[in-house]
Amino acid sequence: MDLLCCESTSKSVAQKDPTLLLDDRVFDTMLKSEIRCLPAPDYLATVQRDLTANLRKIVVDWMWEVCEEQKCQEDIFPLAVNYMDRFLSVNPINKNHLQLLGTTCLLVSSKLRESDCLSVDLLVLYTDNTITSEELLMWELLLLSILKWDVSAITAHDFLWYILKRLHMDTAKPFVDVVIKHCGTFIGMCARDYKFCSYKPSVIAGASIAAALNGLEYAAIYKYDLFTKLHVITGSKKEVLKTCQEQIEAMVEGHKRQRKEMEFEMYEKPYDKTAESDDTTNCWI
């Protein structure tokens, strides 16, 4: 007799524990721990000689595409970028090794937080076989040694629910799910931009929430003094949170303009009568 498997193919994701979300001791420990895993904000100028912000963006965009295509959890990508930035903050490399480093960071971050991690063979395939499995495993040990095996870094995603709880927003409402979705997009965009290396994850999380609520006009409707509350919650200065929010919104607007320009160029094709006449004269029908 044939056996039918009725198990779901969806990934198992742990639910947020409401007791932990409301525990100030947990939140305070996270705020203290995030300092430990910050990269140097100017490592491209002080440590790296063969890398530029544009090269970093090319590799980080590729890492983003891999995570999107494999439907990884949202915190896999910013965690992998954190590994890469911390590695590059202390260890200069050749630009030819940058994609290998990015691939290694994806491997380690998925091992840490995914129930079904990205395989070595799959990641090698994504590089068009420009690296080997042996190289990837060797660089995994190199990455862990440079990071001193400290891979449990706090990301901006980790702060989202804690901050929303302390803003006294009902996390059971569908509205908050929309806010979380917007924040996830903003955090991913921040990880792809080198200038956001200077911000702590809690600042990026708070600024992402502010940008999402501003876009949804929540603060204006409910007369919400958002930055004062975020300052009290995270301990970051209101000016820093505001500046980060403005940079996020400017980045989003820039992406929108680029997308419109690409769509305009795609659909704007000049009408060439000469080409049409040539086609008709050569037609044998």
Side-chain angles (χ1 to χ4, degrees), residues 59-102:
V59 172
V60 170
D61 285 348
W62 172 80
M63 294 165 64
W64 168 273
E65 291 173 3
V66 173
C67 291
E68 285 288 297
E69 199 166 302
Q70 290 300 312
K71 295 180 172 57
C72 297
Q73 296 182 36
E74 287 188 327
D75 54 352
I76 301 301
F77 171 69
L79 183 61
V81 175
N82 173 269
Y83 294 161
M84 187 175 77
D85 288 333
R86 287 164 57 197
F87 182 98
L88 295 176
S89 296
V90 295
N91 191 61
I93 65 170
N94 187 286
K95 63 182 179 181
N96 296 330
H97 291 149
L98 189 57
Q99 187 181 31
L100 175 55
L101 174 61

Side-chain angles (χ1 to χ4, degrees), residues 8-281:
S8 173
T9 58
S10 60
K11 293 184 178 180
S12 300
V13 180
Q15 300 299 313
K16 302 296 181 182
D17 189 336
T19 303
L20 293 178
L21 290 177
L22 293 172
D23 193 333
D24 289 335
R25 295 175 302 173
V26 175
F27 186 64
D28 291 341
T29 301
M30 291 172 62
L31 289 173
K32 294 176 183 177
S33 298
E34 69 173 340
I35 305 296
R36 188 188 75 247
C37 297
L38 288 178
D42 57 348
Y43 68 80
L44 286 180
T46 58
V47 179
Q48 302 299 327
R49 293 291 180 265
D50 202 26
L51 303 181
T52 62
N54 187 51
L55 285 174
R56 176 192 181 276
K57 187 179 187 308
I58 292 172
V59 172
V60 170
D61 285 348
W62 172 80
M63 294 165 64
W64 168 273
E65 291 173 3
V66 173
C67 291
E68 285 288 297
E69 199 166 302
Q70 290 300 312
K71 295 180 172 57
C72 297
Q73 296 182 36
E74 287 188 327
D75 54 352
I76 301 301
F77 171 69
L79 183 61
V81 175
N82 173 269
Y83 294 161
M84 187 175 77
D85 288 333
R86 287 164 57 197
F87 182 98
L88 295 176
S89 296
V90 295
N91 191 61
I93 65 170
N94 187 286
K95 63 182 179 181
N96 296 330
H97 291 149
L98 189 57
Q99 187 181 31
L100 175 55
L101 174 61
T103 308
T104 307
C105 294
L106 284 177
L107 176 64
V108 176
S109 64
S110 67
K111 281 184 176 182
L112 188 70
R113 299 212 179 186
E114 281 279 10
S115 57
D116 185 15
C117 66
L118 301 174
S119 68
V120 171
D121 292 338
L122 178 65
L123 289 171
V124 170
L125 188 62
Y126 268 108
T127 66
D128 291 332
N129 294 304
T130 57
I131 65 174
T132 64
S133 302
E134 292 76 15
E135 286 178 322
L136 184 54
L137 294 175
M138 183 178 67
W139 270 70
E140 181 184 15
L141 290 176
L142 176 62
L143 174 68
L144 292 172
S145 64
I146 292 293
L147 299 183
K148 299 179 180 178
W149 292 81
D150 188 0
V151 292
S152 57
I154 306 294
T155 68
H157 278 285
D158 298 324
F159 282 105
L160 288 180
W161 286 101
Y162 287 89
I163 295 175
L164 288 173
K165 274 290 187 181
R166 283 154 181 78
L167 288 174
H168 304 294
M169 298 181 67
D170 186 359
T171 53
K173 289 183 178 179
F175 173 78
V176 178
D177 292 333
V178 176
V179 173
I180 289 289
K181 186 175 181 179
H182 283 306
C183 290
T185 301
F186 296 155
I187 291 171
M189 294 173 70
C190 290
R192 296 160 71 182
D193 197 324
Y194 173 66
K195 68 173 175 282
F196 287 94
C197 287
S198 60
Y199 291 112
K200 297 183 294 185
S202 59
V203 172
I204 293 177
S208 297
I209 291 173
L213 294 178
N214 186 45
L216 298 170
E217 299 182 349
Y218 182 89
I221 294 173
Y222 293 96
K223 307 298 181 183
Y224 213 60
D225 189 4
L226 185 59
F227 287 102
T228 298
K229 293 183 179 294
L230 288 173
H231 163 66
V232 173
I233 292 170
T234 64
S236 300
K237 294 181 179 180
K238 290 190 288 185
E239 295 79 9
V240 175
L241 290 162
K242 181 66 174 175
T243 301
C244 187
Q245 182 217 357
E246 291 173 348
Q247 289 181 346
I248 290 174
E249 291 177 344
M251 178 174 56
V252 172
E253 289 301 319
H255 278 268
K256 287 181 179 179
R257 285 195 301 270
Q258 289 179 1
R259 186 170 182 177
K260 287 182 180 179
E261 290 173 358
M262 290 175 61
E263 291 176 353
F264 183 76
E265 292 175 358
M266 183 181 301
Y267 291 105
E268 185 191 40
K269 294 181 178 180
Y271 182 66
D272 190 352
K273 291 184 178 181
T274 306
E276 183 180 5
S277 62
D278 291 342
D279 291 339
T280 54
T281 54

